Amino acid sequence: MTVRRDFKEPARCRPDLVIGREELFASARDQLVRGGSVLLHGPAGIGKSTVLRALAADYGDAARTVLRCSATESESHLPFLALADLFGLVLDEISDKLPTAQRTALESALTGRGESTLQRDGLALRLAVLSALRALAASGPVLLVADDLQWLDSASAELLGFAARRLGDTPVQLLCAVRTEGQEYDRHLRASPPDTLAVRLNPLSRAQVSALLDHRGYTDLPRSTVREIHRTSGGNPLFALELGRALGENPTPPRPGEPLPVPTSLRALVLSRLDMLSGEARRTLLVASAGARPTLALLHAAGRENAEAETAQAAELGLLATEPEGPAMRFAHPLISAALYAEAPAQERRAAHAALSTAASDPIERARNLALATTGTDPEVAARLAEAAALARDRGAPSVAASLGLLAARHTPPDVTPAPDEHRLQAAEDAITAGEVDLARDIAREVLTRATVPADRIRAWEVVIEAAGQALGDVDAVFPQALADAGDDPRLLALVHYHLAWRKLIVEGDFSEARQEAAHAAELAARGGDRRTELMALSFQASTETLMGHPDAPTTIKRALKEPQDPYVACHHNGVGAARFRWLLMSDQLPEARATITALLREVRRRGMVESEVHFQRFLAETELRSGHCGRALDLSRESLRLARDSGIGLGASAMLASLAEASGGDVDRALALAREAAERAEEDGDQMYLSRALAALGHAQLVAGDAAGAVGSLRRVRELEAGLRITDPARGRWHGDLAEALVRVGEPGEAQDVIDVAREHALRLGRESVLAVLDRAEALVRAAHGDHEGALSRLTSVQDRLAKLGYGLEEARAAFALARLRTGRPGPTSYDEAARLFRRCRALPWLRQVEAAASEGAAEPVPVRPQVPASDALEGLASMERQVAALVMEGATNREIAARLFISVKTVEATLTRVYRKLGIRSRVDIVRLAAGRHAK
């Protein structure tokens, strides 16, 4: 099909493209904008056609003519078919511009009139295609869009390749897509223009598959199911959507341990080669598909005597691929294994699992296969599954433990101890640990429909509350029911009051009430002999006191560290280790804080505690950021955010920290977007505590981006929120220095000084040395704004040295930058080299770009040194900032020089001058100089 500029197809949205293909799309589009060509390649279903259509729609308007073809396998034997698609509608336009022999050959090939062939008219046809493209390009750029190049008829492929290699500077671009496995795109690339960019579409990540399923309406799938869809599909979007559709249409979800239902469409796609296998070879592959990590030894042990020959046959057919580094075998695609298993009769599946239940060497794998080979209840099978679940838990595989626990519940008779619901509750708790909150909540809700024992009900309510995460306001109705179920049992009441403490903090934003609830929970737990809950409550109390700046925080931490300890609490993200880390970080003990959080992160990874891993990775990133290791912090924060998106845990907090890291070491626009996302999520969840942190991150990003007014707005709101929360420790959010600096930039040094004074009082009381140094840096800017440049220079020199000794590399660099800017336009050294060196050492790229810009501006416009001229009487009515700007104009300073000396933006200078002109009834800066000259002459 041919599309001209005066005929546009209806606009198409590209909703699926933005899911996991943003960078790829931008790279391909940039290539097209530069005048190059693009070849998209990848396996079937990976999304090539979607990206191709979106690129053509997005870039097609830049071309005068768009030529399109889309080949199919069934038509690939028809010669010149693709050529007819491309040139059929423009043949009349270009035929009279071709030499007679070329025109005749092309018309014969496109219309079928005559018997044109490559053998007979080869040269004429090749030249005709090249001439046709050149003729079209003479009237404007041409874009040739071809999908499924692998099905292009050989004659058209040969002619297009000949022309593509000879186009030279002719404005003809190719946008093509081809199905490939591995790197088998070379021959297509050789048939493309020399400047063609080959872009491979890779599988989607689990988070991207989840987003794609959500977008298509499959929003009710548990995260454990989404994880299985991603594994089975191999990240292929077409396969993932088909699996999601099959699950959406299936009223009965697969039971624990069972694979996903594979729709007929996908079975036909991947199993067509199975018909070439013998029956015995197919049964051998079924055993392999039922095993967790099949090997030839395992297949032999399971009774498959001819496994070598049968698997070799499967490998020749492309069904199996051998692992290069070990004895394990794997299917060429996970979907082949899933489809093979789904296709097999239930009796054959159970037989495969029965064979593996004795052949497998791992006790967990033996128990799992025994369960899947057994129908009905069986106490012995249930006991073995419970033992396997405990072993998986000890190995740090809580997700596997949850699956085994549910299998144990299924095989447990109702009158046996432990009862089926006890297995289910343990499975729910394992699912929480593994980050599978949807599965955990569903299990707990099911148990609550029939449980009558108070301890079981409280245990289930705990899971429901934990599954809510930061959105505790969504489960408000749970707390009265839980209190009623707890009765007067101190152990059960302690659990409920512990969660009520979190509700007080997150939903109501009341640190004082939260602290009291936590203390009450600790007291109840001690009375009931529940050491784990007592330690969790004490840890929460200590963290709250630390954030409040309460003087009892060190004492409470010591109480929480007393023996006996609980290994789970010791490494939990709300446990005593985390409380101690927060105290170390806020007390400027960065090396010890790093060692503490690194050890905790290592332990939770060993245990498979996904939620704690998300938080601890973020804590480590924050520690590295404070230390000035911006590159490391950026990597850690991005990984934490990826894990948070993947698991659905701690998204707001991870986005907040990622914003800070991006603003310091990455991309400022991304920092702004992440901070806004974190703030929106906190407001949706009703989470007052993290809303203030998110807004502080937003204010910081705005300051780095040069939007001082925006930073003031965001950080003023933080000040109001923390006042309402009664947070007094300035080391909690460390936003005070940013607010003071932003206020100076917008011409409010008086308010900036007020912010500094209030924060300094609390920082002195708590001994927050790094906070005091940052406040002194901000106060130096206030002094400079008031004209005390010598005092400001002296203060900044001292601040830089103090921050260096404390190990705050990024803050040290910011002090050096402020010092260099303050020296601009004054006698003495004005070099930005020191600031640039320090920011480079931190890998603080956004700040380094600011230094380079300031240095180039200073070099381009040296500041004249003139004696200060007193203002005229008319200046007395101006505001403080207006008088300072006017005074510097009288000295002859440019707007950039004024901005540098007063630590405000050029836009703020311009706006201030506009107010000065209006108040003084003048029109320009020249009139200000005249006023000064008149006053000086008196």
Side-chain angles (χ1 to χ4, degrees):
M1 182 177 69
T2 305
V3 181
R4 303 295 302 275
R5 280 192 65 87
D6 53 359
F7 172 77
K8 297 182 181 179
E9 292 183 290
R12 293 189 182 95
C13 63
R14 44 186 178 88
D16 296 341
L17 174 69
V18 298
I19 300 173
R21 305 298 190 200
E22 298 88 348
E23 292 185 10
L24 178 149
F25 182 86
S27 174
R29 193 186 187 288
D30 288 346
Q31 170 73 358
L32 292 172
V33 170
R34 289 192 295 266
S37 297
V38 172
L39 176 67
L40 304 169
H41 66 99
I46 203 68
K48 302 179 299 298
S49 297
T50 301
V51 177
L52 182 89
R53 288 193 297 269
L55 282 167
D58 191 82
Y59 179 72
D61 286 347
R64 177 183 180 272
T65 305
V66 179
L67 309 176
R68 299 175 187 269
C69 71
S70 183
T72 62
E73 184 177 12
S74 61
E75 298 170 341
S76 60
H77 65 286
L78 300 174
F80 306 121
L81 184 61
L83 207 65
D85 285 343
L86 292 168
F87 293 104
L89 297 181
V90 295
L91 183 59
D92 292 342
E93 176 185 343
I94 60 175
S95 60
D96 60 346
K97 300 175 183 177
L98 304 180
T100 303
Q102 295 180 24
R103 180 172 65 249
T104 301
L106 185 60
E107 287 177 347
S108 178
L110 297 185
T111 63
R113 295 192 295 270
E115 297 182 357
S116 179
T117 65
L118 276 179
Q119 287 75 24
R120 181 176 136 187
D121 303 314
L123 182 58
L125 271 174
R126 286 173 171 83
L127 294 175
V129 172
L130 181 59
S131 298
L133 289 172
R134 285 173 173 164
L136 288 170
S139 301
V142 176
L143 178 65
L144 192 154
V145 181
D147 199 3
D148 283 320
L149 281 185
Q150 74 277 3
W151 304 131
L152 219 64
D153 63 274
S154 58
S156 296
E158 168 64 25
L159 294 171
L160 289 173
F162 175 87
R165 292 189 295 271
R166 290 164 175 81
L167 285 170
D169 296 332
T170 307
V172 176
Q173 296 170 265
L174 273 65
L175 173 58
C176 306
V178 60
R179 180 188 300 181
T180 58
E181 297 295 337
Q183 300 296 316
E184 301 167 2
Y185 63 92
D186 289 352
R187 65 185 181 91
H188 299 287
L189 193 60
R190 286 193 294 271
S192 302
D195 60 351
T196 299
L197 173 68
V199 178
R200 178 170 178 79
L201 276 72
N202 291 313
L204 299 179
S205 68
R206 190 194 305 178
Q208 291 163 349
V209 165
S210 177
L212 180 62
L213 292 167
D214 285 347
H215 176 74
R216 288 297 186 91
Y218 307 121
T219 55
D220 297 329
L221 299 175
R223 291 190 180 277
S224 55
T225 302
V226 172
R227 181 189 63 196
E228 190 62 20
I229 288 175
H230 177 259
R231 188 195 66 78
T232 303
S233 69
N236 185 297
L238 173 64
F239 297 171
L241 287 171
E242 284 296 297
L243 290 168
R245 181 182 60 78
L247 284 166
E249 294 174 353
N250 188 352
T252 306
R255 293 187 297 182
E258 292 184 346
L260 299 176
V262 180
T264 305
S265 59
L266 292 186
R267 293 190 201 185
L269 179 65
V270 300
L271 295 182
S272 58
R273 285 166 287 185
L274 278 177
D275 294 338
M276 302 175 68
L277 286 174
S278 66
E280 287 300 312
R282 186 161 179 158
R283 278 187 281 276
T284 295
L285 287 192
L286 176 61
V287 175
S289 72
R293 195 167 185 266
T295 63
L296 285 173
L298 179 66
L299 293 176
H300 280 301
R304 309 310 303 169
E305 297 177 356
N306 298 316
E308 285 93 345
E310 290 160 353
T311 55
Q313 182 187 5
E316 288 177 4
L317 292 172
L319 295 168
L320 285 180
T322 56
E323 291 284 0
E325 297 179 358
M329 64 181 65
R330 64 178 177 85
F331 285 86
H333 192 282
L335 191 61
I336 296 174
S337 173
L340 175 65
Y341 188 92
E343 190 80 4
Q347 184 176 355
E348 290 187 17
R349 289 191 225 170
R350 286 197 294 272
H353 287 298
L356 290 169
S357 69
T358 57
S361 58
D362 185 79
I364 292 176
E365 187 63 10
R366 287 199 301 271
R368 185 185 74 87
N369 281 289
L370 178 62
L372 295 174
T374 305
T375 58
T377 59
D378 187 320
E380 184 178 345
V381 172
R384 286 185 59 182
L385 284 165
E387 292 171 3
L391 180 59
R393 202 174 302 120
D394 290 341
R395 288 182 181 179
S399 179
V400 175
S403 177
L404 292 168
L406 290 174
L407 285 170
R410 193 173 98 198
H411 289 288
T412 300
D415 55 349
V416 171
T417 302
D421 277 349
E422 189 166 342
H423 289 304
R424 291 188 180 94
L425 287 170
Q426 181 61 64
E429 290 164 355
D430 287 331
I432 284 286
T433 301
E436 298 179 7
V437 293
D438 294 339
L439 175 62
R441 180 177 53 245
D442 291 346
I443 297 170
R445 291 286 188 187
E446 180 195 349
V447 170
L448 284 165
T449 61
R450 56 178 173 267
T452 56
V453 177
D456 289 346
R457 292 188 63 79
I458 293 298
R459 198 173 169 187
W461 287 128
E462 269 204 290
V463 170
V464 172
I465 294 168
E466 289 278 357
Q470 299 295 110
L472 286 178
D474 293 347
V475 292
D476 262 349
V478 165
F479 292 100
Q481 299 176 67
L483 284 170
D485 285 335
D488 56 1
D489 186 329
R491 289 176 64 94
L492 301 182
L493 283 171
L495 291 167
V496 180
H497 280 281
Y498 170 72
H499 291 292
L500 277 170
W502 277 103
R503 185 194 172 280
K504 289 287 185 183
L505 180 62
I506 291 174
V507 178
E508 298 182 16
D510 193 324
F511 273 72
S512 180
E513 286 289 330
R515 174 179 174 269
Q516 291 178 25
E517 279 285 2
H520 184 44
E523 180 187 346
L524 287 167
R527 195 191 316 160
D530 183 355
R531 181 61 174 165
R532 173 173 290 189
T533 303
E534 180 187 7
L535 288 171
M536 289 294 288
L538 285 172
S539 300
F540 177 84
Q541 181 184 342
S543 294
T544 306
E545 289 171 348
T546 299
L547 295 173
M548 292 172 67
H550 196 285
D552 289 350
T555 302
T556 307
I557 290 174
K558 288 179 182 177
R559 287 178 60 199
L561 287 169
K562 285 183 179 178
E563 296 293 340
Q565 283 294 309
D566 183 290
Y568 173 82
V569 177
C571 64
H572 192 274
H573 60 278
N574 290 322
V576 63
R580 181 171 178 271
F581 161 78
R582 290 188 186 94
W583 186 80
L584 290 168
L585 190 67
M586 294 174 69
S587 301
D588 298 325
Q589 300 181 52
L590 296 181
E592 195 168 352
R594 181 185 293 105
T596 298
I597 200 61
T598 300
L600 288 169
L601 182 58
R602 187 184 306 115
E603 179 62 15
V604 299
R605 282 174 173 165
R606 186 188 70 80
R607 289 170 171 264
M609 298 169 67
V610 175
E611 184 173 8
S612 294
E613 181 182 355
V614 170
H615 291 295
F616 288 162
Q617 188 125 346
R618 174 169 54 83
F619 291 168
L620 181 56
E622 185 174 2
T623 307
E624 298 294 356
L625 193 59
R626 297 272 179 90
S627 304
H629 304 152
C630 298
R632 172 76 172 143
L634 188 62
D635 292 342
L636 287 166
S637 67
R638 286 175 175 172
E639 176 62 20
S640 174
L641 184 59
R642 185 203 63 75
L643 188 59
R645 293 199 194 285
D646 202 20
S647 64
I649 296 170
L651 271 171
S654 294
M656 176 274 298
L657 200 280
S659 171
L660 291 172
E662 291 284 353
S664 298
D667 181 87
V668 179
D669 289 337
R670 180 168 169 76
L672 291 166
L674 286 168
R676 291 190 176 102
E677 176 190 339
E680 289 169 7
R681 189 171 294 277
E683 289 193 291
E684 287 173 5
D685 292 344
D687 185 344
Q688 297 295 305
M689 183 172 66
Y690 266 108
L691 177 58
S692 68
R693 294 294 307 274
L695 289 171
L698 177 59
H700 179 74
Q702 289 168 323
L703 184 66
V704 176
D707 180 12
V712 167
S714 299
L715 296 174
R716 277 175 174 164
R717 191 175 173 200
V718 175
R719 181 173 59 185
E720 294 169 4
L721 283 169
E722 293 206 351
L725 293 168
R726 290 185 241 177
I727 297 173
T728 59
D729 192 339
R732 187 238 179 191
R734 295 176 180 263
W735 49 266
H736 309 77
D738 283 346
L739 176 54
E741 182 173 339
L743 286 165
V744 170
R745 291 190 188 185
V746 300
E748 298 292 345
E751 184 182 346
Q753 188 63 56
D754 291 341
V755 171
I756 293 166
D757 291 342
V758 172
R760 179 180 284 137
E761 180 182 351
H762 294 297
L764 284 168
R765 173 175 61 85
L766 297 165
R768 305 301 191 218
E769 292 298 327
S770 63
V771 173
L772 289 169
V774 169
L775 292 173
D776 284 350
R777 185 185 68 206
E779 189 171 52
L781 307 185
V782 174
R783 289 190 179 188
H786 287 305
D788 182 9
H789 293 87
E790 296 304 325
L793 289 169
S794 174
R795 178 65 61 92
L796 284 172
T797 303
S798 169
V799 163
Q800 183 180 342
D801 183 60
R802 287 157 58 196
L803 289 168
K805 289 178 180 177
L806 289 168
Y808 283 76
L810 183 58
E811 299 294 355
E812 175 195 358
R814 287 181 64 179
F817 186 27
L819 196 58
R821 292 182 66 181
L822 195 60
R823 284 174 174 160
T824 301
R826 299 181 59 80
T830 59
S831 173
Y832 286 90
D833 290 349
E834 173 70 359
R837 181 185 69 80
L838 292 173
F839 281 130
R840 196 174 291 111
R841 184 183 68 182
C842 294
R843 230 186 84 182
L845 302 182
W847 288 103
L848 189 58
R849 284 190 285 270
Q850 288 191 41
V851 172
E852 291 169 349
S856 64
E857 288 175 8
E861 298 181 14
V863 182
V865 180
R866 302 185 182 181
Q868 186 171 353
V869 179
S872 69
D873 293 338
L875 302 187
E876 298 299 330
L878 299 179
S880 172
M881 176 57 68
E882 293 165 351
R883 286 199 302 274
Q884 292 176 65
V885 170
L888 289 170
V889 169
M890 293 172 187
E891 293 181 14
T894 66
N895 287 0
R896 285 182 179 175
E897 293 161 1
I898 295 170
R901 288 177 60 176
L902 297 183
F903 291 89
I904 59 178
S905 68
V906 173
K907 287 185 178 180
T908 302
V909 174
E910 293 169 349
T912 303
L913 281 174
T914 299
R915 294 195 301 272
V916 169
Y917 300 156
R918 185 177 65 252
K919 289 182 178 181
L920 298 182
I922 59 180
R923 295 183 178 180
S924 69
R925 60 193 295 126
V926 175
D927 292 332
I928 295 180
V929 176
R930 287 173 179 164
L931 282 173
R935 173 69 174 173
H936 186 64
K938 289 182 181 178

